[in-house]
């Protein structure tokens, strides 16, 4: 089913998506927020620019965007897949606790802020280009991968990556000589067994965007983890 | 009695947008109004406004004063005050289209005027400083009168309502300018009233702002030492005066003013090349009270250009795109795509990274 989003409010558009049932295609999307919010079992593909909080609280549905998406993609998503054939704005994967986000190009500031994992829930976000400052801020779990596939003058990640990180892992496809990490994390070259952890997602990324997974893996990766399970234990109170 | 900044808190977003022609081509206000439509939900109807540059070419040598008046008595008092200081060549009501969505509007007038030479000589200041002092006095001493625009060949149009309604109310489709900025308000902290809508302007500087200035009082106390009076009950006002102080009075460049208001962290400065480090250290040291903390994305308009700037942590969104001689800036990509579906070179400036666009010299 095709939904023409022209002049539809976000409420009307989301209602149309929900009543479409299993599968729908949105055309002429222009800034409507909360598309697919909370949905469990459907497939949505989007032409145009989806608004903020695309796939917020997503609970198993799959969303595909032809071009760019705005801020807070996959905010607090629980399960499912979001694929963006372009760049995303700030705070992608904000507090996501399950599911997978694939971004072909760049992510803005605060990608993966407060991402977390629980029991069998293991959120993963793969960013093909570069990420802005505060990548993985307050990350508590899950995996963020930045591939740096479109090299330019800027480093693979901006300032203050992994600030406040206390769980999960960040993989940066770079030796990261020019990246300054906070004292509470360890950044080390990834070993082959580290990369096994993200092989499936890199294969999926390659399949989605026409990249060769073997080439994606054939580069130095830096893996960042918190120093301990409680790196900020004595920062505020001595206990 | 309106509640003042700090006495009332209204929980909240905001939307900003701008379009500028590098070639100085003048376009109607309709495009920037249309760009605000996809961002409707970022505002709540308590404020909308626009600044247009190049809109008064027939009066380009005169200061264009836009004023709100409570009533006609206030207007007459204010006109007497102005006539002692200016030669007024045209006084008129700003044409508006009455509509049910816009209510309780004040009297809205404009004056094209030049400072009296005798008054300038008596005060021994240049005409721009003279205008600033006059505006500060008027806004503080004449209750019920507010100058909300006082630049040359530019004008601010603002009020209480959604931005697309305010644009129609002021019939901006009938004006033509080489640069337009726009704002949709969602007041956080302060009441929605006509004077409190954005843009805030002084001379040809105008500011639209999405965010919240945590350092408002520190900035206000500092800037009030230099004769600026914050009377409009919104944090953005202080930012406008700070930029006037830095750019006009201290003669800083736009990049330097950005490095003062959105100063990089010391840890970031420490990693810059030596020459740049020295400049940044100097600016942070000399103007510590003009550091703006809290989330902001602003667009500063001025004669012949604009500057977009995010706070150093980039706590608000902003995207920039281009198409031929036009440059678009907005809180959301959707706003740009609404009026330029095929705009190119889309990018999100980094926190504290000023985006400066200038119109070709001689074209404005």
């Amino acid at each position: 089913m095709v939904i023409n989003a022209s002049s539809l409010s976000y409420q009307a558009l989301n209602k149309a998506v929900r009543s479409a049932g299993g599968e729908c295609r949105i055309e002429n999307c222009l800034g409507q927020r909360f598309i697919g919010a909370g949905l469990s079992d459907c497939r949505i593909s989007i032409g145009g620019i989806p608004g903020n909080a695309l796939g917020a609280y997503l609970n198993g549905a799959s969303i595909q965007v032809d071009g760019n998406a705005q801020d807070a993609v996959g905010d607090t998503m629980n399960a499912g897949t979001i694929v963006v054939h372009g760049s995303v704005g700030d705070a992608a994967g904000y507090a996501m606790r399950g599911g997978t986000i694939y971004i072909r190009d760049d992510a803005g500031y605060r990608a993966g802020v407060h991402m977390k994992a629980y029991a069998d829930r293991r959120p993963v976000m793969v960013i093909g280009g570069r990420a802005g400052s505060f990548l993985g801020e307050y990350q508590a779990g899950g995996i963020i991968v930045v591939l740096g596939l479109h090299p330019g003058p800027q480093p693979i990640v901006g300032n203050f990556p992994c600030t406040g990180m206390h769980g999960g892992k960040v993989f940066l496809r770079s030796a990261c000589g020019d990246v300054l990490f906070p004292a509470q994390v360890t950044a080390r070259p990834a070993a082959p067994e580290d990369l096994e952890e993200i092989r499936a997602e890199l294969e999926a990324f390659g399949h989605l965007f026409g990249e060769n997974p073997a080439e994606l893996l054939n580069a130095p990766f830096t893996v960042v983890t918190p120093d301990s399970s409680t790196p900020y234990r004595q920062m505020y109170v001595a206990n | 009695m309106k509640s003042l900044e700090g006495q009332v808190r209204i929980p909240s977003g905001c939307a900003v947008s701008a379009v500028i022609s590098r070639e100085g081509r003048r376009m109607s206000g309709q495009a920037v109004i249309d760009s605000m439509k996809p961002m409707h939900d970022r505002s709540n109807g308590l404020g909308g406004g626009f600044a247009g540059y190049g809109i008064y070419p027939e009066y380009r040598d005169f200061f264009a004063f836009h004023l709100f008046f409570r009533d006609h008595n206030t207007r007459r008092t204010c006109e007497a005050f102005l006539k002692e200081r200016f030669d007024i060549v045209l006084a008129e009501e700003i044409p508006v289209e009455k509509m049910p969505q816009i209510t309780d509007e004040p009297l809205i007038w404009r004056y094209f005027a030049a400072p009296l030479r005798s008054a300038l000589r008596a005060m021994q200041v240049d005409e721009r400083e003279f205008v600033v002092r006059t505006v500060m006095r008027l806004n503080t001493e004449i209750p019920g009168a507010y100058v909300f625009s006082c630049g040359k060949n530019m004008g601010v149009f603002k009020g209480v309502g959604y931005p697309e309604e305010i644009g129609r109310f002021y019939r901006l489709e009938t004006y033509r300018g080489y640069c337009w900025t726009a704002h949709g308000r969602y007041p956080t902290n302060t009441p929605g009233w006509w004077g409190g809508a954005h843009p805030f302007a002084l001379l040809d500087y105008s500011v639209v702002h999405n965010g919240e200035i945590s350092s408002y009082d520190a900035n206000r106390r500092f800037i009030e030492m230099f004769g600026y009076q914050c009377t409009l009950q919104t944090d953005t006002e202080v930012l406008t005066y700070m930029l006037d102080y830095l750019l006009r009075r201290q003669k800083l460049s736009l990049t330097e003013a950005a490095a003062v208001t959105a100063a990089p962290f010391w840890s970031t400065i420490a990693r810059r090349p030596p020459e740049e480090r020295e400049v940044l250290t100097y600016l942070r040291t000399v103007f510590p009270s003009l550091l703006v903390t809290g989330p902001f994305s602003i667009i500063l308009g001025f004669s012949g250009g604009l500057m977009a700037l995010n706070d150093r942590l980039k706590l608000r969104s902003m995207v920039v795109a281009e198409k031929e001689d036009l440059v678009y800036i907005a809180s959301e990509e959707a706003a740009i795509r609404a009026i330029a579906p095929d705009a190119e070179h889309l990018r999100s400036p980094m926190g504290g990274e000023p985006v400066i666009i200038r119109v070709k010299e001689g074209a404005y």
Side-chain angles (χ1 to χ4, degrees), chain B residues 170-185:
Chain B
Y170 280 107
R171 303 169 56 189
L172 295 186
E173 73 281 1
T174 65
Y175 295 80
R176 290 170 68 242
Y178 59 81
C179 173
W180 289 94
T181 67
H183 186 263
R185 190 162 184 229

Side-chain angles (χ1 to χ4, degrees), chain B residues 174-326:
Chain B
T174 65
Y175 295 80
R176 290 170 68 242
Y178 59 81
C179 173
W180 289 94
T181 67
H183 186 263
R185 190 162 184 229
Y186 196 138
T188 54
N189 297 329
T190 49
W193 70 293
W194 285 69
H198 302 214
F200 286 87
L202 191 63
L203 298 170
D204 59 304
Y205 300 119
S206 69
V207 177
V208 290
H209 165 221
N210 166 20
E212 175 173 332
I213 300 175
S214 308
S215 54
Y216 173 77
D217 254 339
N219 300 144
R220 182 187 58 78
R221 281 195 299 271
F222 180 82
I223 207 71
E224 284 185 349
M225 293 194 293
F226 304 96
Y228 298 92
Q229 298 287 328
C230 291
T231 54
L232 300 174
Q233 308 169 31
T234 300
D235 54 2
T236 310
E237 181 186 20
V238 75
L239 193 51
T240 309
Y241 301 159
M242 287 161 55
L243 289 166
D244 177 65
Y245 173 75
L246 291 170
L247 297 170
R248 182 177 62 88
R249 292 180 53 178
Q250 292 297 329
K251 299 187 168 49
L252 262 54
S253 69
L254 289 163
T255 311
E256 290 164 343
V260 170
T261 50
F265 288 94
W266 289 114
S267 63
T268 307
I269 292 175
R271 301 178 71 210
R272 297 281 169 89
E275 223 167 89
E276 195 184 341
R277 195 189 314 153
E278 200 178 326
V279 172
L280 291 169
T281 303
Y282 174 83
L283 291 170
R284 274 204 76 165
T285 309
V286 175
F287 301 110
S289 301
L290 294 180
L291 171 67
V292 178
T293 60
F296 67 84
S297 69
I298 60 164
I299 303 172
L300 166 74
F302 53 88
S303 287
L306 58 73
M307 174 174 81
L309 182 68
N310 269 120
D311 67 88
R312 56 200 186 158
L313 294 172
K314 197 175 185 290
L315 291 160
R316 288 291 179 273
S317 53
M318 180 181 280
V319 288
V320 180
E322 299 173 29
K323 184 68 187 174
E324 289 157 2
D325 62 316
L326 297 176

Side-chain angles (χ1 to χ4, degrees), chain B residues 139-161:
Chain B
N139 283 353
T140 48
E141 291 177 16
I142 305 180
Y146 290 98
V147 179
F148 63 97
S149 187
C150 55
K152 283 182 177 175
N153 200 11
M154 61 81 66
V156 167
F157 303 88
K158 65 185 191 180
V160 174

Side-chain angles (χ1 to χ4, degrees), chain A residues 10-11 30-31 33 49 51-52 68-71 87-90 109-110 130 134 154 159-160 178-180, chain B residues 38 41-42 265 267-268 271-272 312-317 331-335 337-338 346 349-351 353:
Chain A
Y10 76 83
Q11 295 95 333
L30 191 67
R33 299 179 181 188
I49 304 294
N52 294 354
N68 297 335
Q70 296 189 161
D71 295 340
S87 293
V88 297
D90 296 335
Y109 272 48
R110 286 180 197 82
R130 64 180 299 275
F134 301 102
Q154 292 172 332
N159 293 326
F160 313 113
D178 49 357
V179 179
L180 187 66
Chain B
D41 295 331
R42 299 180 74 98
F265 288 94
S267 63
T268 307
R271 301 178 71 210
R272 297 281 169 89
R312 56 200 186 158
L313 294 172
K314 197 175 185 290
L315 291 160
R316 288 291 179 273
S317 53
S331 304
E332 297 186 17
E333 182 177 348
R337 297 293 175 204
L346 187 96
M350 293 183 293
E353 174 197 355

Side-chain angles (χ1 to χ4, degrees), chain B residues 15-210:
Chain B
V16 297
S17 181
V19 55
I20 182 169
S21 162
R22 285 186 168 123
E23 293 293 322
R25 277 195 300 125
R26 291 164 68 217
M27 51 212 148
S28 98
Q30 192 61 47
V32 79
I33 295 173
D34 291 342
S35 78
M36 296 301 284
K37 290 177 183 168
M39 302 195 290
H40 179 86
D41 295 331
R42 299 180 74 98
S43 314
N44 67 353
L46 289 178
F50 301 82
Y53 288 81
I55 58 170
Y56 296 136
E58 60 274 37
Y59 293 103
R60 62 184 309 141
D61 297 325
F62 296 91
F63 290 95
F65 291 93
H66 291 190
L67 282 98
F68 291 138
F69 300 118
R70 186 174 53 199
D71 51 42
H72 285 290
N73 273 337
T74 309
R75 176 178 62 80
R76 284 186 283 269
T77 306
C78 192
E79 285 175 354
F81 178 92
L82 284 173
K83 277 176 184 159
E84 284 174 14
R85 295 162 176 82
F86 291 87
D87 179 16
I88 298 172
V89 296
L90 180 69
E92 63 180 2
E93 267 190 278
I94 294 183
V96 297
E97 182 184 323
K98 292 271 182 186
M99 56 177 72
Q101 298 92 333
I102 305 293
T103 54
D104 297 327
E105 72 268 27
L107 299 174
I108 310 169
W109 281 62
R110 71 182 156 209
Y111 303 85
F112 295 97
L116 296 174
R117 285 178 180 281
S118 56
L120 284 179
R121 270 201 304 275
M123 217 186 260
Q124 302 189 55
V125 293
D126 68 20
E127 61 169 24
R128 306 228 298 161
E129 179 64 21
F130 182 80
V131 168
V132 169
R133 291 189 192 185
T134 305
V135 169
M136 292 299 153
R137 271 195 68 181
L138 199 154
N139 283 353
T140 48
E141 291 177 16
I142 305 180
Y146 290 98
V147 179
F148 63 97
S149 187
C150 55
K152 283 182 177 175
N153 200 11
M154 61 81 66
V156 167
F157 303 88
K158 65 185 191 180
V160 174
Y162 281 99
E164 56 272 27
E165 294 164 355
I166 291 291
R168 257 178 57 215
F169 175 78
Y170 280 107
R171 303 169 56 189
L172 295 186
E173 73 281 1
T174 65
Y175 295 80
R176 290 170 68 242
Y178 59 81
C179 173
W180 289 94
T181 67
H183 186 263
R185 190 162 184 229
Y186 196 138
T188 54
N189 297 329
T190 49
W193 70 293
W194 285 69
H198 302 214
F200 286 87
L202 191 63
L203 298 170
D204 59 304
Y205 300 119
S206 69
V207 177
V208 290
H209 165 221
N210 166 20

Side-chain angles (χ1 to χ4, degrees), chain A residues 157-172:
Chain A
V157 62
N159 293 326
F160 313 113
C162 308
T163 301
M165 181 183 195
H166 50 284
K169 278 185 184 174
V170 171
F171 289 83
L172 300 163

